[in-house]
Amino acid sequence: MMSNTLLFYGVSFICVGHLFLLIETCNYPSDLQSAVWEDSQKGSLTYTTNQMTGYTYSSYSSGSSIWNCFLIDGDYVVSKATGTINLFSAQYDVYICQKFTKITSFSYSYYLESDVQSNANNDRLNVFPTGNSVTVSQACAKTMDIPTEEFHVLVKNSNIADVKQWFPTPLLGKFEYTKVTAAGVSSCGSGSVWDDCTNRTTMSINMTQCSSVVAFSQGVTYCVTYITKGSTYYVVVVNPGIADGTTYFRFACLAVSQSGSTVTVVEKSGSCGAGQNTSLAGTGGAKYTMTPYETCPFTTDSPSEPSSDIGLIIGIVVGLLVLLIIGAVVGYCIYKKKKNQIYDREKKENANYLQGSRPPLYSGISS
Ligand SMILES: *[C@@H]1O[C@H](CO)[C@@H](O)[C@H](O)[C@H]1NC(C)=O
Ligand SMILES: *[C@@H]1O[C@H](CO)[C@@H](O)[C@H](O)[C@H]1NC(C)=O
Ligand SMILES: *[C@@H]1O[C@H](CO)[C@@H](O)[C@H](O)[C@H]1NC(C)=O
């Protein structure tokens, strides 16, 4: 009777425990929640605490744009699409795995940690038979490395003006530029000014002499982030103005390289693309040849932390303390040495005494 009761409670406990596991929820990183974000690849995404809408994929006759937070492990965020893919009359669940890097509270960059799926319009995602339990390493599995330049950014729609970062050194200047589109149309030229110097976070372009717009913008964009691969910089800019998706886009990726004082830029709308380079513009893109007539002084690859007075004061205080401590130690050592010399002279008959009482030279380090 007693053991039956215990067994009952034991089983109940296990069941309740299991229930808790089942209803365990996954929430998106708190920065992302309850807001609209602009994605450099997929456009506007709406995040709630545990759902993301707007990230459209399609495969065969299936597809979805609604995803549920599935699991989070460190920087890895795995989402599971609502609905399944029907393949050879079996059902599959679809997962994306994003490896996030925070830039600001309003901007993130990420890599999609999966292989390219030719059956899903070359999206990076993973599928598993419905009902299978899926771990992070499975959802984020890939057989080939992802090209460094193939990253994406998310910018919070309400805070586009708050994400500005410094442009990389090669772009810090006022340039005269010419533009050649992938289709071979040449324009802009002398008198056309590309200015990343007046404000090192803001690209300000006079394109009155161009036959098409620059960086898919109305002439002003902000630096969101950049990475380097070899000697090429991949800079993502966000257009705070109109983005109609045909002439103007919310994001552009600028591949940038420098040779002597000439800077070459190849633009692409949206995210940076695998294989994007500064030799040749891809379809819809353009190549710029830029000659600086003014470079920014104090160029650097990263925004400098504003050195505050408090930092300076702390530095001075710490420096003085260190000097005081060194002084005290040196003073003590001299005193000790003097004292020992007197002591030695007085106690010559006890030559071994001092040696025996001296602490080991490397105390604490076992030999
Ligand atoms: C843009 O360039 C044109 C021609 O070089 C010049 O006339 C115009 O004043 C410039 N506009 C601005 C806003 O600097
Ligand atoms: C440069 O950008 C910062 C940050 O948006 C802004 O506060 C500042 O006024 C800008 N400076 C100029 C010269 O446009
Ligand atoms: C550079 O980019 C162009 C356009 O995308 C591509 O056709 C070309 O193969 C690329 N070159 C290299 C060396 O990757």
Side-chain angles (χ1 to χ4, degrees):
M1 193 57 189
M2 183 67 163
S3 61
N4 275 355
T5 315
L6 275 179
L7 187 65
F8 172 75
Y9 280 118
V11 169
S12 306
F13 181 74
I14 290 165
C15 290
V16 169
H18 194 65
L19 197 65
F20 277 134
L21 281 180
L22 283 180
I23 61 169
E24 194 184 353
T25 53
C26 168
N27 288 335
Y28 283 114
S30 53
D31 280 349
L32 297 181
Q33 293 177 16
S34 312
V36 177
W37 290 74
E38 302 299 331
D39 183 279
S40 57
Q41 183 194 16
K42 295 289 189 178
S44 289
L45 308 181
T46 303
Y47 279 88
T48 66
T49 46
N50 56 8
Q51 201 164 64
M52 170 185 67
T53 306
Y55 192 104
T56 305
Y57 89 92
S58 66
S59 182
Y60 297 103
S61 54
S62 307
S64 181
S65 60
I66 304 171
W67 302 72
N68 289 305
C69 184
F70 183 70
L71 51 84
I72 293 187
D73 186 352
D75 299 332
Y76 293 86
V77 176
V78 176
S79 301
K80 179 181 175 181
T82 56
T84 55
I85 300 180
N86 187 324
L87 277 181
F88 311 114
S89 51
Q91 303 298 316
Y92 289 83
D93 290 328
V94 180
Y95 298 84
I96 53 168
C97 170
Q98 295 166 290
K99 185 173 187 255
F100 277 108
T101 301
K102 182 173 182 164
I103 308 163
T104 69
S105 298
F106 313 112
S107 53
Y108 284 78
S109 65
Y110 68 89
Y111 283 93
L112 282 164
E113 300 283 323
S114 310
D115 285 330
V116 167
Q117 306 295 345
S118 54
N119 296 326
N121 299 317
N122 293 326
D123 267 346
R124 288 187 182 273
L125 44 86
N126 275 322
V127 301
F128 295 96
T130 298
N132 277 25
S133 68
V134 171
T135 64
V136 180
S137 51
Q138 289 172 319
C140 303
K142 54 184 195 285
T143 60
M144 287 197 294
D145 285 343
I146 295 164
T148 312
E149 67 275 22
E150 198 187 325
F151 68 102
H152 309 281
V153 305
L154 270 178
V155 167
K156 195 172 187 173
N157 177 284
S158 55
N159 294 79
I160 290 176
D162 298 322
V163 306
K164 302 170 182 170
Q165 304 294 305
W166 276 25
F167 280 104
T169 303
L171 281 179
L172 290 177
K174 287 183 187 169
F175 303 88
E176 190 171 84
Y177 67 96
T178 56
K179 172 178 185 173
V180 181
T181 67
V185 179
S186 190
S187 69
C188 310
S190 72
S192 298
V193 179
W194 178 314
D195 178 3
D196 300 332
C197 200
T198 304
N199 212 324
R200 293 167 206 195
T201 61
T202 304
M203 196 168 103
S204 179
I205 293 172
N206 181 336
M207 42 195 208
T208 52
Q209 312 205 107
C210 303
S211 59
S212 53
V213 303
V214 175
F216 307 94
S217 73
Q218 286 99 56
V220 173
T221 64
Y222 308 141
C223 178
V224 179
T225 192
Y226 66 86
I227 54 127
T228 53
K229 182 184 185 179
S231 55
T232 306
Y233 292 76
Y234 292 89
V235 187
V236 178
V237 294
V238 61
N239 161 18
I242 298 158
D244 61 12
T246 52
T247 304
Y248 306 112
F249 287 82
R250 182 60 66 210
F251 294 99
C253 174
L254 311 175
V256 180
S257 64
Q258 188 172 14
S259 174
S261 65
T262 303
V263 174
T264 304
V265 172
V266 165
E267 69 180 8
K268 173 191 172 299
S269 59
S271 305
C272 300
Q276 188 178 341
N277 57 65
T278 54
S279 327
L280 204 59
T283 309
K287 179 172 173 173
Y288 300 87
T289 303
M290 326 224 295
T291 316
Y293 60 84
E294 192 181 305
T295 50
C296 300
F298 315 119
T299 57
T300 173
D301 275 358
S302 60
S304 62
E305 289 296 318
S307 64
S308 66
D309 288 348
I310 289 172
L312 191 66
I313 289 164
I314 290 173
I316 289 171
V317 167
V318 168
L320 281 176
L321 271 177
V322 167
L323 280 177
L324 270 175
I325 290 167
I326 290 171
V329 167
V330 166
Y332 178 74
C333 288
I334 291 170
Y335 165 76
K336 198 66 198 268
K337 202 176 172 191
K338 274 264 149 61
K339 206 181 160 199
N340 283 348
Q341 279 168 355
I342 295 162
Y343 186 81
D344 278 353
R345 241 175 284 136
E346 283 172 355
K347 300 267 178 181
K348 268 189 182 125
E349 66 275 19
N350 284 334
N352 288 331
Y353 175 75
L354 263 179
Q355 214 171 357
S357 67
R358 194 181 291 154
L361 212 51
Y362 296 106
S363 62
I365 300 171
S366 52
S367 48

